[in-house]
Amino acid sequence: MKSYILPEKNVGTLAQSVAVQQGELNLRKDEKSSFYIAEVSEDIILPENIQALEFKVPTPKNTPANMASKIKAALPELPEALGEDGQNGLDVLVRLQFDKELPEEKLPAIYEELSKAIESAMKNLKGDSLGE
C-alpha cells in the first residue's frame, strides 16, 4: 500500500480513481489538520489533477516491537513543570534513520552524544537569546 496525504477537496476524485482501477482504499481524517490520510493499493495510478503528497510509513518489521518501551525506560524522568509557570521547556522529537540495524547496546551512546550536543547548544545560547 502507498500512503498519501491530501486535502478534503481531492478525496472524492481519489475514491473514484481507485474504484475505476478496482483498487483498495483506506481513508481517514488527520486528527490535527484538515487533511486526509489515504492508503492506496500499490498498482493504482493517481490522476495528475489530484493534489496528494506520497509519504513512507515505517514498517514494524524494521524496528523491534518493544523498542519504544525500551527507549522510554532508558530516558530519565522529566519533571512535571520545567519552570515555575511551566513554560520554560521545549519538547523535541528526534528521529534518526540508520543504513543498517543498530545494535541495542549502542543506544545509550547515541543518547549521551545527543545530550552533549543539546547541552553545548544551550551553553552557546546563554546570554544571546535566553536573557542572560
Side-chain angles (χ1 to χ4, degrees):
M1 300 283 280
K2 295 187 281 188
S3 298
Y4 296 93
I5 186 165
L6 65 155
E8 182 179 8
K9 67 180 182 179
N10 292 131
V11 170
T13 307
L14 176 67
Q16 288 175 341
S17 177
V18 172
V20 167
Q21 297 177 59
Q22 298 181 347
E24 185 178 334
L25 171 67
N26 297 318
L27 193 64
R28 65 183 163 82
K29 170 101 173 45
D30 180 51
E31 297 171 357
K32 297 180 181 178
S33 72
S34 62
F35 291 95
Y36 282 78
I37 308 295
E39 293 177 338
V40 179
S41 305
E42 289 288 333
D43 58 340
I44 297 299
I45 299 169
L46 270 61
E48 289 184 21
N49 66 337
I50 292 182
Q51 297 173 344
L53 177 64
E54 184 175 3
F55 64 95
K56 301 288 183 198
V57 178
T59 55
K61 65 181 178 183
N62 292 340
T63 58
N66 57 359
M67 182 62 82
S69 62
K70 289 181 181 180
I71 290 172
K72 187 175 180 182
L75 295 175
E77 282 294 317
L78 295 175
E80 288 297 318
L82 298 172
E84 288 180 19
D85 59 1
Q87 300 297 314
N88 294 335
L90 174 67
D91 290 336
V92 177
L93 172 65
V94 177
R95 180 171 293 169
L96 303 173
Q97 184 171 351
F98 301 99
D99 293 336
K100 57 184 179 179
E101 188 173 344
L102 185 70
E104 193 172 322
E105 61 270 8
K106 300 280 185 180
L107 290 177
I110 290 173
Y111 300 148
E112 182 67 27
E113 291 303 315
L114 287 171
S115 177
K116 286 178 188 177
I118 292 169
E119 188 175 317
S120 175
M122 293 298 291
K123 285 179 184 176
N124 290 337
L125 289 174
K126 278 192 177 182
D128 291 340
S129 63
L130 294 179
E132 292 185 12

